[in-house]
Amino acid sequence: MLIEHNVVMKDPRYVDIRFASCYPNLYKTAMSSLGFHIIYDFLNSREDVYCERVVYPHSRSLESNSPLSHFNIVSFSLQYELDYFNVLKMLNNGIVPIRKNDRNLNDPFVIAGGPCATSNPIPMSKFVDLFIIGEAEVILDEVLDTFLELDDPKGEIDAFKDIKGVYVPDNPAKRAIVRNMGDANHPIRQVVSETDDERFRPAFGNAFLLGVSRGCTRGCRFCMAGYLYRPRRETSLRKLFDIAKRGKRATGLRKIALIGAAVSDYSKIDDLCEGLLDMDFRITTPSLRIESITEKLIDTLHKSRLKTITMAPESTWRIRNVLNKIITDEITIEVVKTIFERNMNVKLYFLVGSPTETSEDLNNMVKFIKNLNKLSNKRNAVKISINPLIPKPHTPFQWENFDLDGIGPKINYLKQKLKSIPLKVESLRSSLIQHVLSTGDVEVADIIEKAYRQRTPFKEWKKLSKGWNIDDELPWKNIGVCIKPSFIKEEYQKALRGDTTPWCEKSGCYHCGADK
Ligand code: SF4
């Protein structure tokens, strides 16, 4: 049975907007999303709004067991493209017509946000009335106020199109973000689940989610988050300690998860972790940047009883230059050694299918992984994950196709050469489908609905998987994420030459556009 604490209960008869915040993935994933908690807290701080949570596979709210059809606004958090099918299922089971053109005045207004919406909302534009492009807390208030002014929000959809950070299909949109983290919403009374049922245990376990920073400027050329949310913005150390103290009191949690795109790049990461340790927190973190991990940080994380440190060396030194992830083998080996000396485990992410990758690169990757694995001992292990590189919108690799026929044999080769090492390999097929959903045009909407309704032969997805020429008009052309198109083109050409671009925070601004 699921018991929750800090759930917001309001009488829906006394609010102007019933808002369903929907997460099209499992409870444990939903409750591990700081963004999902932020929306819940931000909206329920308005007296005229009652925000309830609806989590896949359900289509009724956790707060009042109300079906989606009972809400004024139904909002989806799009974190993973493969969740798109779940969106349709939740709408259908929630008695809301799947296609926006089939909805009438009494049906909810359907909106969507999150990284997938911010990067390319087009494939979902036949199902969603309006998209949030950027960070919700600087966009949603104006959307709700406009909604309240209109008799028929769907019929008068153009009333929303000039709101910064809103995409109304077929109109240009510009991303909106929190510029100063002092203004960012940070939920203190986070909903905590009390259960032994693994299905409900969030990814970090029962941990208070602490938003350390947003955005990343390292410039890894395959990483969508690194281009959608620039510049990197930090929450001050004083504010973080205050949030942690109040969060501990409000939730009773003694574990804290550091959330951010590049947590270890936080300028005072050592002080932060030491301070949280002094507050008697157990600390957990997402993947850390290898080159910003200090011995002091490893010691503090070890003292806070963290068992495994996750990092992403991605590939060989040559390919890391193509990816613009400028980390040497030597630093990687040094950090892994230091972690093992503290009796901790290591989890490493690798990519296969990078542009210009050769069989020699694969051989070098095999040697590198074997050398890292040799560092492990009876008490500590290296866990290796290998993922196909999936080209994403707004990144320098956005023009690349997903090379299914090329990557398949490469993965088999790695599996064969590394058969003595336990490998976790992401599915090629779901990666191709993810690529189509991520870089697709409006026609992809039809196959999304078809695949939701019936088994769809993989070859139909394969037909839709394609790359783009560098001068093609891209489906996401109308979505401005404040990065100069010329800069992205330049980065792509540098990648193909194996040239790098140093980290702007250390080497100075190169005016990617995010400063505008
Ligand atoms: S290159 Fe300049 S504008 Fe772009 S994120 Fe770095 S500092 Fe900001």
Side-chain angles (χ1 to χ4, degrees):
M1 182 162 94
L2 174 65
I3 299 169
E4 292 188 305
H5 304 285
N6 292 338
V7 173
V8 177
M9 299 308 285
K10 293 184 182 181
D11 187 331
R13 292 169 300 168
Y14 301 117
V15 296
D16 301 324
I17 297 178
R18 293 195 69 187
F19 188 104
S21 178
C22 305
Y23 201 95
N25 203 303
L26 301 175
Y27 181 91
K28 63 193 297 181
T29 313
M31 299 313 284
S32 314
S33 160
L34 180 57
F36 193 57
H37 288 273
I38 287 174
I39 288 170
Y40 189 64
D41 181 69
F42 177 77
L43 290 177
N44 279 320
S45 66
R46 285 181 59 140
E47 289 197 354
D48 60 348
V49 175
Y50 184 19
C51 177
E52 299 176 53
R53 296 159 301 145
V54 184
V55 175
Y56 180 84
H58 307 289
S59 55
R60 288 174 173 272
S61 65
L62 288 157
E63 283 73 11
S64 66
N65 199 34
S66 303
L68 293 183
S69 56
H70 287 196
F71 290 86
N72 304 103
I73 299 179
V74 167
S75 170
F76 288 94
S77 176
L78 304 180
Q79 305 285 328
Y80 314 101
E81 292 87 354
L82 294 172
D83 289 349
Y84 291 176
F85 312 110
N86 302 343
V87 170
L88 274 53
K89 184 170 181 184
M90 291 173 80
L91 285 172
N92 188 60
N93 296 353
I95 319 159
V96 178
I98 285 176
R99 294 212 169 217
K100 65 181 182 187
N101 294 346
D102 298 339
R103 293 180 206 135
N104 62 38
L105 202 50
N106 303 321
D107 290 316
F109 187 58
V110 177
I111 71 174
C116 298
T118 297
S119 84
N120 180 17
I122 316 299
M124 288 296 280
S125 57
K126 289 194 175 171
F127 313 114
V128 173
D129 298 298
L130 173 153
F131 294 87
I132 303 294
I133 308 295
E135 295 167 357
E137 67 259 59
V138 290
I139 307 167
L140 275 177
D141 266 338
E142 201 175 343
V143 168
L144 298 191
D145 295 344
T146 306
F147 178 86
L148 287 169
E149 288 158 13
L150 303 171
D151 299 330
D152 173 14
K154 289 190 281 294
E156 303 163 69
I157 192 75
D158 283 355
F160 296 93
K161 71 179 173 34
D162 298 327
I163 301 173
K164 189 174 180 197
V166 161
Y167 173 66
V168 171
D170 309 321
N171 292 276
K174 196 169 180 206
R175 174 205 75 167
I177 59 170
V178 176
R179 283 285 167 182
N180 175 342
M181 290 303 283
D183 306 327
N185 172 285
H186 198 296
I188 300 294
R189 291 178 56 75
Q190 294 177 11
V191 175
V192 178
S193 55
E194 192 187 312
T195 175
D196 301 329
D197 187 332
E198 256 319 295
R199 289 173 303 147
F200 297 112
R201 274 177 67 72
F204 297 109
N206 252 339
F208 182 80
L209 305 179
L210 186 68
V212 170
S213 64
R214 296 186 190 175
C216 175
T217 49
R218 287 280 185 173
C220 305
R221 293 174 177 141
F222 58 89
C223 176
M224 200 165 75
Y227 290 83
L228 296 184
Y229 299 108
R230 290 186 180 199
R232 193 173 67 86
R233 293 142 289 143
E234 295 193 345
T235 302
S236 72
L237 199 57
R238 175 204 289 259
K239 185 173 177 187
L240 288 175
F241 286 145
D242 175 55
I243 292 168
K245 199 170 69 195
R246 292 190 292 136
K248 190 177 192 175
R249 219 179 298 136
T251 61
L253 294 171
R254 309 187 75 77
K255 191 175 181 183
I256 196 160
L258 308 184
I259 307 295
V263 164
S264 54
D265 278 349
Y266 184 73
S267 55
K268 298 188 179 74
I269 187 70
D270 291 346
D271 300 343
L272 173 64
C273 290
E274 263 192 340
L276 293 172
L277 193 60
D278 294 344
M279 293 166 79
D280 199 24
F281 272 115
R282 285 187 60 195
I283 303 168
T284 184
T285 70
S287 179
L288 300 177
R289 293 268 327 181
I290 296 168
E291 71 276 46
S292 54
I293 298 176
T294 62
E295 196 159 341
K296 192 173 174 192
L297 178 61
I298 296 171
D299 278 338
T300 310
L301 293 174
H302 178 232
K303 283 186 203 136
S304 88
R305 291 173 279 152
L306 184 65
K307 292 195 176 55
T308 301
I309 291 187
T310 303
M311 301 172 287
E314 313 296 2
S315 184
T316 60
W317 169 243
R318 190 189 80 78
I319 290 291
R320 270 183 246 127
N321 284 263
V322 171
L323 301 175
N324 202 39
K325 203 160 186 178
I326 315 163
I327 305 165
T328 65
D329 291 2
E330 292 69 29
I331 287 179
T332 308
I333 289 168
E334 216 34 62
V335 170
V336 170
K337 269 189 191 157
T338 310
I339 294 170
F340 279 147
E341 284 159 10
R342 268 67 177 175
N343 208 11
M344 299 168 84
N345 299 315
V346 168
K347 185 173 180 182
L348 301 173
Y349 285 102
F350 287 85
L351 280 176
V352 61
S354 300
T356 77
E357 189 178 66
T358 64
S359 52
E360 190 190 348
D361 293 316
L362 290 186
N363 285 330
N364 291 338
M365 196 203 282
V366 167
K367 278 192 214 118
F368 184 46
I369 291 175
K370 283 185 172 173
N371 289 344
L372 290 168
N373 192 53
K374 272 193 211 125
L375 300 171
S376 64
N377 53 45
K378 289 199 185 62
R379 286 169 301 153
N380 310 104
V382 175
K383 294 180 192 148
I384 306 280
S385 274
I386 297 183
N387 298 321
L389 187 145
I390 302 172
K392 294 278 178 156
H394 305 286
T395 70
F397 293 160
Q398 63 184 356
W399 295 281
E400 291 275 320
N401 190 11
F402 181 81
D403 177 17
L404 181 83
D405 300 331
I407 298 174
K410 289 178 178 181
I411 286 184
N412 294 340
Y413 179 78
L414 291 174
K415 281 182 178 170
Q416 206 267 326
K417 287 290 178 188
L418 296 168
K419 58 178 176 283
S420 60
I421 301 172
L423 297 180
K424 185 167 175 276
V425 179
E426 188 58 43
S427 146
L428 266 184
R429 285 178 167 235
S430 66
S431 299
L432 179 134
I433 294 172
Q434 194 188 129
H435 178 241
V436 172
L437 295 172
S438 174
T439 59
D441 210 334
V442 72
E443 90 248 355
V444 171
D446 300 335
I447 194 170
I448 293 173
E449 183 168 356
K450 183 176 178 187
Y452 154 65
R453 292 192 186 286
Q454 66 200 62
R455 250 187 67 67
T456 302
F458 182 65
K459 68 177 188 299
E460 290 190 28
W461 287 100
K462 217 175 159 189
K463 259 188 286 171
L464 289 170
S465 173
K466 62 182 176 191
W468 307 84
N469 297 320
I470 202 148
D471 297 318
D472 282 352
E473 244 195 17
L474 299 168
W476 48 93
K477 64 183 181 302
N478 272 340
I479 310 299
V481 296
C482 301
I483 302 277
K484 290 187 289 190
S486 58
F487 168 72
I488 297 183
K489 271 187 187 160
E490 217 179 283
E491 282 294 300
Y492 182 44
Q493 279 140 4
K494 285 174 85 171
L496 298 180
R497 295 195 304 267
D499 294 345
T500 58
T501 300
W503 188 24
C504 58
E505 294 189 26
K506 286 276 184 303
S507 313
C509 177
Y510 44 73
H511 307 292
C512 68
D515 48 345
K516 293 282 177 297

